Amino acid sequence: MHHENDPSASTWRDQLIELDLPGVGAITACADPALFADEPEGPTVSPADAPGAAADGEDEDELAYRRRRPTTPPAPETVRATLRDRVPFDLEHTWLVLPALGPVLPTLSPEGMIVADLSGGQAPFEARLRPTDPPSRPSREGASAGAPSGGGRTSIRPPERSWFRRPVVAGALRRRGGPVALGALVGSRRDWFEPAAAAREDLLAAHPDQALERALLIAVEQGQAAVLRIGPGGLDVIPTGADPRVPEIEGLDLLVTERPARCPLQGRDGEGPCRPQGGPWIRAAHEAQVNWEARRSLALTVQACGVCFGEPLPPESDQPQVPQLSHRESVVEISRLHLRDGEMVRIDPIAPPR
């Protein structure tokens, strides 16, 4: 099958679908075939990756003074083992899930193409002109004393023109189908997060085909690549044609579990606060910390955390004063994203309609 060969396409099969369903609660659904295979004998995580594991030549007394490792994306086997250990949950109804991620640009190609018009009335791309001389910056002298600084306040982009499309997608579903579930599509290693919204199929329309048609219409209007159907019949992925890498999937076995409101970055339930990666010491460490904080902010934007609740936490006794767990960034301040194909992208404003 197509999704067996393309790593990006296979994510649509292996991803975690995590939603807060009205009247049901927080759930995680996954159709990864490895979940339904015979469990491997022995530990699913190598001893070196286990918390508190001793390195060669290190005695147990030295472990008391060893800091816990930074919270990096866990191994897929760790995430699968966590799902298997949870109590399975039977979905009574079928839900149609829509991704809600807007266009973004590769970080390493700021001079590339930008999405300019999603209405279909014009070609959807336009070439970005190479910058010439940088514009002169206006003086802000006297701003602290109350003098006007010119230009006024910068208005926030409306949701329909933003990379974070969940409010718009949820509003469109709500107008057609009543209660809406909010959540995220999450990588199998919890290394990327995409906002998502869902509606109950039987409330969206009387007939399943009609409900799917309405969901596909909303997805196409918002530039989304697919609609996912989860329920007693398993997982279906219906592409919209926006991305040729998205496979068409039908009737995959689906494991649904209740999801505790714990740290969304951790691969196991019951873990404590996450640990930052990198720090302010050298350029590479600073870049690692910026990327890590961007991933944490996005995770806390689309999911709830029952550990830190998105608030800053003081360093623990075995953690240096820097780096420390900071306050999450708001949606409009997130500057970069980790995508499902492993690419790092930066947030770029969508060009206004011409």
Side-chain angles (χ1 to χ4, degrees):
M1 298 177 67
H2 177 56
H3 59 271
E4 296 289 348
N5 302 321
D6 187 349
S8 178
S10 66
T11 61
W12 291 90
R13 176 201 64 192
D14 301 339
Q15 66 190 347
L16 310 177
I17 306 168
E18 301 193 330
L19 300 168
D20 293 320
L21 300 181
V24 177
I27 63 103
T28 296
C30 185
D32 187 347
L35 283 171
F36 306 95
D38 294 336
E39 295 189 33
E41 297 181 1
T44 58
V45 182
S46 64
D49 294 334
D56 293 340
E58 185 177 26
D59 57 34
E60 295 295 331
D61 293 337
E62 293 177 348
L63 292 178
Y65 304 99
R66 181 179 177 184
R67 289 198 305 118
R68 286 189 290 123
R69 296 178 178 178
T71 304
T72 55
E77 293 78 9
T78 301
V79 179
R80 294 188 198 110
T82 300
L83 294 178
R84 290 193 191 101
D85 291 340
R86 294 178 183 172
V87 178
F89 182 83
D90 293 330
L91 281 179
E92 183 179 356
H93 301 283
T94 297
W95 294 79
L96 296 176
V97 185
L98 275 67
L101 183 66
V104 286
L105 280 179
T107 303
L108 300 180
S109 303
E111 73 282 356
M113 310 292 283
I114 61 172
V115 176
D117 185 4
L118 299 178
S119 66
Q122 303 181 39
F125 295 99
E126 69 175 10
R128 176 188 296 276
L129 299 177
R130 291 187 177 277
T132 55
D133 296 334
S136 59
R137 302 185 61 171
S139 172
R140 296 185 59 85
E141 294 181 2
S144 58
S149 58
R153 298 184 60 184
T154 302
S155 59
I156 298 177
R157 246 177 301 146
E160 63 271 11
R161 308 297 295 183
S162 169
W163 67 270
F164 188 72
R165 297 288 176 86
R166 197 167 70 178
V168 179
V169 173
L173 288 173
R174 191 174 290 111
R175 288 190 295 271
R176 293 171 172 85
V180 169
L182 301 180
L185 307 178
V186 184
S188 59
R189 300 182 61 220
R190 309 199 71 87
D191 51 345
W192 54 264
F193 299 82
E194 293 183 2
R200 249 176 61 179
E201 183 183 67
D202 58 330
L203 298 180
L204 200 57
H207 193 278
D209 291 344
Q210 185 181 8
L212 177 60
E213 182 179 356
R214 291 183 176 180
L216 284 170
L217 177 61
I218 297 173
V220 170
E221 289 176 348
Q222 296 302 321
Q224 303 306 310
V227 171
L228 295 85
R229 180 193 284 122
I230 63 172
L235 169 69
D236 299 335
V237 177
I238 302 93
T240 63
D243 187 344
R245 298 173 300 176
V246 181
E248 184 174 357
I249 298 176
E250 183 176 6
L252 282 184
D253 292 336
L254 189 69
L255 174 64
V256 183
T257 67
E258 296 182 0
R259 178 173 58 86
R262 305 300 294 177
C263 175
L265 298 181
Q266 307 278 8
R268 299 181 181 87
D269 297 335
E271 294 284 352
C274 54
R275 286 296 184 92
Q277 183 180 16
W281 307 294
I282 61 176
R283 184 172 183 176
H286 177 70
E287 183 70 16
Q289 186 179 14
V290 170
N291 291 340
W292 187 90
E293 289 181 350
R295 176 168 156 261
R296 174 177 178 262
S297 293
L298 179 59
L300 297 179
T301 295
V302 298
Q303 292 186 299
C305 177
V307 179
C308 72
F309 300 95
E311 297 297 325
L313 296 180
E316 299 179 18
S317 58
D318 63 341
Q319 183 181 11
Q321 293 299 312
V322 287
Q324 56 183 318
L325 202 59
S326 62
H327 191 281
R328 72 172 182 182
E329 294 180 336
S330 64
V331 172
V332 296
E333 294 173 344
I334 294 177
S335 60
R336 56 188 67 193
L337 299 178
H338 300 257
L339 298 187
R340 63 173 62 229
D341 58 2
E343 188 177 24
M344 169 70 70
V345 297
R346 70 180 177 87
I347 305 303
D348 190 80
I350 305 301
R354 293 186 286 260

